[in-house]
Amino acid sequence: MMSTTPIADYAILSDRHSAALVSHHGSLDWLCSPRFDSPSIFARLLDDNAGHWSIRPSGWFETSRRYLDQTMVLETTFHTGSGTVVLTDAFALGHDNAGHRLGADVPHLVIRRLHCTQGSVPIHIAYHPRPEYGLINPILTETTSGVTARTGARLLVLTTPVRLDIGHDGAVADVTIDAGTTLYFGLHCSTLEQPPARVWEQAELADRLDSTIAAWRSWSDLHQAYVGPWHHHVHHSGRVLQALTFQPTGAIVAAATTSLPEAEGGERNWDYRYSWVRDASLTLEALWVAACPDEANDFFAFLTAAAPSLSTEKWLPIMFGVGGERDLSERTLPHLRGWRGSRPVRIGNGAWDQRQIDVYGEILCAADRLADYLTGIDDETRRFLVDCADAAAERWRETDHGIWEVRSAPKHFLHSKVMCWAALDRALALGPLLGAADRVDTWRRTRDEIRRTILRDGWNDEVGAFTQYFGSRELDASALTLPIVRFLPADDPRMLKTIDAISERLTDDQGLVHRYHTQGGVDGLAGEEGTFLMCTFWLAHTLALSGQIDRAHAVFERAAAHANDVGLLAEEVDPVSHELLGNFPQAFSHIGLINAAWEISQAENAAATNEPR
């Protein structure tokens, strides 16, 4: 059977190595370990038969839930006719994980605490591991206080204080829990390279849960100083970005999932468990606001370490695996039915070897944001940044697949040209740091030539806006980034017209923004897609830059209202049903929220003090 649970029904757990998703009904329906991109252990998110672990009342219940204050530890309260129980879920962190050590040396252990606060509640427990994306139905073995499952190189050990009945497809139990009773469950995962998974004592699980809560709070206390509008949204989004960060390298994955579709039943289903260079500059801006320069430095260091030498290789990859891997070859999993029948289910991402010339600008904009912290960069990093500027100067005239990774013929995309301009503009600003005085004149001439070309060929008088690619009549929301990267002031008449054109012609009936119009398969794919939350936050951001603060507020509120009950955003929103769509939670959406909130706060402060921005 296909999965039908709404995407907004889920909440994320993370140990900053991997992620799990838990539904309103207490079902853990997605778990990859030991890395974000590891094969799943539970994948009911994509097929009802692909594994889950649920703990819930046996009969009728209603739920409410929240993340514990300043943490990514989930608390779900089940209200039943006979009593109330609270389920607390966490991906355990390691010892001594306070502050910047958040996520170091984690045990790869999911902890679930069940506590009855009143009355007496019958509980049903169902444990159905299905490793390798549901392909393996492991043999379960009962041990003292636990159930083991060995699947080749992977060992799973479930700690359970109640005896489970083991059947051919899993293990179940029905137990009644009374007021004041607390039960701890744990799922420990290991591979042959790690210390073997084991049964944990109840006191150990209690202690590790407490230390995990304390670790998240210590990170929040140390990092989250933003005090502007929507500060709760901003602080929570900062924690979401931490939850999507692979601690050993600093890589930030685009989302915790694969193949959640951009339209129900459609084919736009991609694996987002990788780290995109495209997101670099906006990610660093968001980390600056909602975390601190250390986290921004970690992400930048990952990108520069993972990138190849441009002196020996022609192209900079557009994405990497969380360990810096290059080959992310895509394949389909035909045995999985997909979320609401959305096929194919894919792992890997075929865009990994696309050519995109915007990435050079992303890297140099990121470096410019960190300029004060890069004074001691090594020669190799300095050479890499110079090579990025040289590559932008050399390749800006070439076609590419653009920011949206279209699978149709490459074109002269506006956004790509603008980011080549940004690469050279930032390289010139970084001149003394880069030690490239011999290139300054060439970089300046090329930067100015790119600018003239964009203003001539990127603007369409008949459309009254900057368009998707040179010679196009199509609008594209990425044009909203022109003032964000400082190519044009937001109050330039051409930019104001572009903002209004996108607001009027590229939005749904809620005022949420599409990336572009997909009719006719212009991007090489069939079907429609939802509106993009990141694009809507770009609109709010750009409106704030142009001084239209009230409009910016309204657009921001429309986008932020689509966060689910625990403050998480997907990539898109269905224009008809208004449901969340796409991989989840989506880093880019939370990045957009943070940056737009910051820009609106700066605009408000400037207006209040009557000072220029």
Side-chain angles (χ1 to χ4, degrees):
M1 294 177 61
M2 65 182 180
S3 170
T4 59
T5 303
I7 293 169
D9 200 56
Y10 288 101
I12 187 175
L13 311 176
S14 171
D15 61 359
R16 301 194 69 223
H17 290 245
S18 50
L21 294 183
V22 183
S23 77
H24 260 110
H25 289 186
S27 185
L28 206 162
D29 288 349
W30 181 255
L31 171 63
C32 296
S33 185
R35 297 186 0 164
F36 289 104
D37 57 354
S38 296
S40 66
I41 295 167
F42 305 121
R44 186 157 75 167
L45 184 69
L46 298 173
D47 190 303
D48 272 354
N49 296 324
H52 71 283
W53 176 25
S54 64
I55 301 176
R56 60 172 178 80
S58 300
W60 173 89
F61 59 85
E62 292 181 337
T63 62
S64 58
R65 60 182 184 171
R66 61 174 184 140
Y67 283 110
L68 297 182
D69 186 45
Q70 296 185 295
T71 80
M72 297 302 292
V73 175
L74 182 69
E75 181 184 271
T76 303
T77 301
F78 297 98
H79 306 276
T80 77
S82 60
T84 301
V85 291
V86 178
L87 179 66
T88 304
D89 288 324
F91 224 137
L93 297 175
H95 286 301
D96 187 26
N97 266 202
H100 289 297
R101 284 186 51 79
L102 190 75
D105 303 317
V106 300
H108 306 290
L109 169 72
V110 175
I111 300 174
R112 315 193 75 181
R113 179 179 68 193
L114 188 67
H115 175 66
C116 184
T117 60
Q118 63 175 3
S120 180
V121 180
I123 298 293
H124 179 71
I125 301 164
Y127 175 62
H128 299 278
R130 294 290 185 275
E132 299 287 341
Y133 301 106
L135 283 174
I136 297 175
N137 186 355
I139 296 174
L140 304 183
T141 303
E142 184 178 8
T143 64
T144 303
S145 299
V147 175
T148 65
R150 185 176 293 278
T151 61
R154 188 176 299 188
L155 176 63
L156 309 175
V157 178
L158 177 70
T159 297
T160 172
V162 300
R163 185 179 179 277
L164 273 63
D165 295 323
I166 296 175
H168 74 280
D169 65 345
V172 298
D174 288 286
V175 61
T176 297
I177 181 171
D178 299 321
T181 301
T182 303
L183 304 176
Y184 286 88
F185 300 82
L187 179 61
H188 194 184
C189 312
S190 67
T191 64
L192 294 178
E193 295 82 18
Q194 299 166 330
R198 62 179 177 85
V199 170
W200 291 61
E201 299 292 335
Q202 293 286 291
E204 286 184 291
L205 293 174
D207 177 69
R208 188 56 66 98
L209 178 59
D210 289 343
S211 66
T212 296
I213 294 169
W216 276 108
R217 286 175 173 164
S218 73
W219 184 88
S220 296
D221 286 340
L222 183 63
H223 291 81
Q224 304 205 302
Y226 173 79
V227 294
W230 307 289
H231 62 277
H232 293 300
H233 281 300
V234 170
H235 292 174
H236 184 55
S237 291
R239 288 189 290 273
V240 172
L241 294 183
Q242 284 300 102
L244 294 173
T245 300
F246 186 61
Q247 188 273 340
T249 64
I252 300 176
V253 297
T257 59
T258 181
S259 298
L260 293 180
E262 296 174 11
E264 183 177 334
E267 68 168 333
R268 298 167 184 265
N269 318 319
W270 316 114
D271 193 344
Y272 273 19
R273 297 172 297 162
Y274 306 115
S275 191
W276 265 256
V277 178
R278 175 198 67 201
D279 302 348
S281 62
L282 295 173
T283 300
L284 259 68
E285 292 290 344
L287 291 174
W288 205 269
V289 174
C292 80
D294 285 356
E295 274 71 24
N297 267 317
D298 288 345
F299 182 52
F300 183 76
F302 164 75
L303 292 176
T304 55
S309 168
L310 292 177
S311 301
T312 58
E313 297 198 31
K314 183 177 180 182
W315 292 96
L316 177 64
I318 68 168
M319 67 178 81
F320 299 100
V322 294
E325 298 83 4
R326 296 273 299 280
D327 186 349
L328 307 178
S329 295
E330 183 176 290
R331 63 187 177 95
T332 62
L333 301 178
H335 66 283
L336 294 178
R337 296 170 178 84
W339 183 81
R340 295 188 183 172
S342 303
R343 283 177 162 173
V345 172
R346 296 179 171 95
I347 56 174
N349 195 303
W352 72 274
D353 61 351
Q354 281 190 358
R355 302 301 180 232
Q356 295 180 19
I357 59 175
D358 62 327
V359 291
Y360 308 111
E362 294 290 351
I363 291 288
L364 281 155
C365 285
D368 183 60
R369 188 66 180 89
L370 289 173
D372 291 343
Y373 294 84
L374 296 179
T375 53
I377 60 171
D378 57 75
D379 290 340
E380 186 176 355
T381 301
R382 184 180 293 107
R383 177 73 247 172
F384 171 67
L385 295 175
V386 170
D387 286 346
C388 283
D390 285 345
E394 177 185 348
R395 300 194 177 105
W396 74 271
R397 293 183 180 86
E398 299 178 13
T399 59
D400 72 344
H401 290 92
I403 183 175
W404 307 125
E405 298 164 7
V406 300
R407 300 201 175 192
S408 56
K411 296 179 175 65
H412 290 286
F413 285 105
L414 173 78
H415 179 266
S416 297
K417 309 302 184 188
V418 169
M419 292 311 296
C420 286
W421 172 90
L424 297 173
D425 185 70
R426 302 311 190 271
L428 290 167
L430 291 166
L433 177 68
L434 299 183
D438 59 319
R439 288 169 165 79
V440 166
D441 288 343
T442 299
W443 285 350
R444 182 175 291 110
R445 284 195 304 271
T446 307
R447 179 198 63 179
D448 295 345
E449 182 183 359
I450 297 171
R451 179 182 178 84
R452 289 193 297 271
T453 304
I454 291 170
L455 294 176
R456 182 188 69 226
D457 298 338
W459 174 263
N460 188 307
D461 273 325
E462 293 181 8
V463 176
F466 288 102
T467 55
Q468 187 176 57
Y469 55 89
F470 289 176
S472 171
R473 295 182 56 85
E474 298 297 324
L475 293 174
D476 190 307
S478 63
L480 293 168
T481 64
L482 270 64
I484 294 174
V485 301
R486 305 197 296 273
F487 179 81
L488 275 179
D491 58 0
D492 180 282
R494 291 160 295 188
M495 202 61 235
L496 291 172
K497 289 180 179 180
T498 300
I499 293 170
D500 287 342
I502 289 172
S503 297
E504 294 165 8
R505 290 178 253 160
L506 207 57
T507 55
D508 68 357
D509 59 6
Q510 297 184 91
L512 302 181
V513 181
H514 289 277
R515 294 188 300 176
Y516 49 85
H517 290 306
T518 59
Q519 291 90 336
V522 295
D523 53 11
L525 296 163
E528 301 296 318
E529 64 183 18
T531 52
F532 266 63
L533 288 167
M534 179 57 164
C535 297
T536 309
F537 285 122
W538 278 345
L539 178 58
H541 190 150
T542 306
L543 285 166
L545 283 170
S546 71
Q548 301 179 74
I549 300 174
D550 289 343
R551 284 183 69 189
H553 255 275
V555 172
F556 184 98
E557 291 283 1
R558 285 199 292 269
H562 287 278
N564 73 356
D565 61 311
V566 288
L568 300 177
L569 295 165
E571 184 177 39
E572 303 178 30
V573 175
D574 188 293
V576 178
S577 70
H578 302 163
E579 279 193 283
L580 291 180
L581 291 172
N583 284 303
F584 184 79
Q586 174 72 213
F588 219 24
S589 298
H590 286 277
I591 289 165
L593 182 152
I594 293 167
N595 290 337
W598 169 258
E599 203 57 58
I600 293 169
S601 75
Q602 295 302 293
E604 289 179 337
N605 291 340
T609 58
N610 201 28
E611 294 180 0
R613 294 293 305 277

